[in-house]
Amino acid sequence: MSVEIVPTRNELDAAWGAMHPAHCKNCRAGFLVPSHAGAPVCPNCLAARLEPLPALQADAPPELVIPFGVSDATLDANLERWLRAIPFKPASLSAKALRANLARIFLPLYLADARAFGTWQAQMGFDYLVASSEERFDGNGWVTQRLNETRVRWEPRAGELARKYENTPAPALEQHARWMLALGASNWREPPFDTSRAISFASEALNNAIVRVPDVAPNAAWQFAREQIERRAARECETASNAQHHEQFVLRAAYGEPHWTLLLLPTYVSSYIGDDGKWIPVRVNGQSGFVSGVKRASLKRAQRWAIVIGIIAFAAFMLTVLLGMAGALNDAFVFPALLVLVVTFFLCLAAPAPLIITWQFNRQNADDVRTTDAKRMSG
Ligand SMILES: [Zn+2]
């Protein structure tokens, strides 16, 4: 994002098309919203409506945009698959309702191009095969078994490096890591998008989607970009050394002034209402169709089922009593009375099942989200 020349308001308007600046008072996220969209719910926190602002700090138009690339059929199928396993779904949780609530949001990402000059040193690891034999007693006698084992030989290596690194992704949002994981990244440092599919930005490419503006400046993202470049350099030096592993890679490099490109990533945000009346977000990667969100079963709905089964159990019990009294007068009623008694017994066992299933599902999913998030954020 080269901003040596500050664009005028008119130039910005021309670049963005009919978009107006807005922000969320709850989470402080800034957006550009299509003029006719009114005051949409904040797609970031879902807890407030966006309010118009006179201007935003970071409103420079992007250079690149990745278009939405998920067909309606794929989107439907992926949403359906995502919610299939949820028992006792809240009333607002269906593929159709999620589709109706779907908003299209572009998220910002920086790409840095920079030259690196310097020296490196590392321990490089080379795989080699060791043939060994093992003596084993098989009951009749000793047999020799040959084994091939891969071991790693470590050797110090050093060299010089002068190279240009292009399109290194760097966060433009404080919540970058959380978003990348939600959109399908297995490692938050690698955005789950094919950035080679990006096209030059034109306001028509937005097609009435909401645009999230960066809340991290390029110079603040540089530290991250530099670490990414160092990782790439380490892998390249490993390949150049014909090694299969590396350790203790140190790069002493000077970097040329980085060139920044702002790229927009396509995402969908939808939501459903939990038992507590709060909206729960469901996020979809607008390029791959990957769906994620917290899965919540409705305890209210499970309660209704438990009550219905309880009422049927009570009715069955009353029938047992009636048949039992009739059985005292006529033997023909004894067998039906016993049969209904057995049914009553199983209904009594089944009545609390919806509550137990829901409680277990919600607890398991809350744990899953916390532990996998923590693991992937540190990884
Ligand atoms: Zn918000």
Side-chain angles (χ1 to χ4, degrees):
M1 205 170 54
S2 48
V3 275
E4 294 86 35
I5 309 155
V6 178
T8 65
R9 189 72 250 162
N10 284 344
E11 278 168 348
L12 280 178
D13 288 348
W16 277 113
M19 303 284 276
H20 70 253
H23 81 152
C24 171
K25 272 195 173 160
N26 183 52
C27 69
R28 312 222 154 262
F31 297 90
L32 283 155
V33 181
S35 296
H36 59 80
V41 171
C42 172
N44 189 48
C45 67
L46 305 171
R49 288 196 173 273
L50 298 185
E51 293 179 22
L53 277 182
L56 288 164
Q57 267 187 349
D59 57 0
E63 286 83 4
L64 296 171
V65 55
I66 297 178
F68 280 87
V70 185
S71 70
D72 285 357
T74 308
L75 196 54
D76 280 339
N78 289 5
L79 287 172
E80 193 71 60
R81 195 173 323 122
W82 178 80
L83 58 82
R84 196 177 293 158
I86 306 175
F88 305 104
K89 296 177 185 60
S92 60
L93 181 54
S94 68
K96 209 177 154 193
L98 287 178
R99 268 301 289 276
N101 279 338
L102 213 61
R104 293 178 313 124
I105 319 292
F106 279 108
L107 295 180
L109 175 79
Y110 293 124
L111 298 175
D113 294 344
R115 283 186 181 283
F117 321 86
T119 56
W120 63 269
Q121 62 185 69
Q123 291 289 325
M124 291 296 174
F126 303 87
D127 286 343
Y128 67 103
L129 275 180
V130 187
S132 59
S133 50
E134 194 182 69
E135 300 288 322
R136 199 161 47 80
F137 193 74
D138 71 352
N140 298 318
W142 289 92
V143 286
T144 306
Q145 198 175 24
R146 293 192 64 78
L147 294 167
N148 278 331
E149 193 189 344
T150 306
R151 291 197 195 150
V152 181
R153 183 181 71 247
W154 291 97
E155 287 177 17
R157 288 281 193 279
E160 285 182 4
L161 180 141
R163 216 174 113 51
K164 187 175 183 188
Y165 289 92
E166 291 186 320
N167 295 329
T168 306
L173 293 176
E174 278 173 22
Q175 292 171 323
H176 178 80
R178 207 159 273 285
W179 269 106
M180 293 304 111
L181 294 178
L183 297 172
S186 50
N187 169 353
W188 67 270
R189 291 185 181 88
E190 312 284 344
F193 289 90
D194 176 4
T195 51
S196 69
R197 308 276 287 271
I199 58 168
S200 293
F201 173 76
S203 59
E204 300 78 55
L206 297 177
N207 196 14
N208 294 324
I210 296 175
V211 179
R212 175 87 191 266
V213 297
D215 57 17
V216 171
N219 55 9
W222 170 241
Q223 170 73 14
F224 177 92
R226 213 189 63 196
E227 286 168 13
Q228 286 291 91
I229 289 174
E230 279 174 18
R231 272 188 208 95
R232 277 168 74 176
R235 283 196 297 270
E236 283 171 2
C237 293
E238 178 189 295
T239 310
S241 311
N242 287 322
Q244 289 77 41
H245 315 272
H246 68 263
E247 241 178 29
Q248 298 160 24
F249 182 85
V250 179
L251 179 65
R252 286 192 186 81
Y255 292 90
E257 184 64 28
H259 175 263
W260 294 96
T261 303
L262 185 62
L263 165 71
L264 297 182
L265 306 172
T267 65
Y268 295 100
V269 175
S270 188
S271 50
Y272 65 98
I273 308 174
D275 275 350
D276 55 2
K278 284 192 185 136
W279 289 95
I280 301 166
V282 178
R283 300 187 171 102
V284 186
N285 182 317
Q287 189 181 42
S288 70
F290 178 90
V291 181
S292 75
V294 175
K295 294 179 179 176
R296 279 252 158 270
S298 167
L299 203 58
K300 280 184 189 165
R301 209 150 164 214
Q303 255 163 7
R304 279 201 291 275
W305 273 99
I307 290 168
V308 168
I309 300 173
I311 290 171
I312 298 172
F314 182 72
F317 174 71
M318 294 309 286
L319 188 61
T320 311
V321 172
L322 283 175
L323 288 170
M325 289 196 302
L329 303 171
N330 186 336
D331 282 354
F333 288 104
V334 173
F335 180 71
L338 285 174
L339 198 69
V340 180
L341 183 66
V342 171
V343 172
T344 308
F345 175 74
F346 281 110
L347 283 169
C348 287
L349 282 185
L355 298 173
I356 295 168
I357 292 168
T358 303
W359 178 77
Q360 229 166 18
F361 181 85
N362 285 346
R363 202 185 65 147
Q364 204 170 19
N365 278 278
D367 286 355
D368 276 2
V369 169
R370 266 200 296 275
T371 48
T372 51
D373 255 19
K375 222 186 292 166
R376 288 150 81 200
M377 296 279 269
S378 62

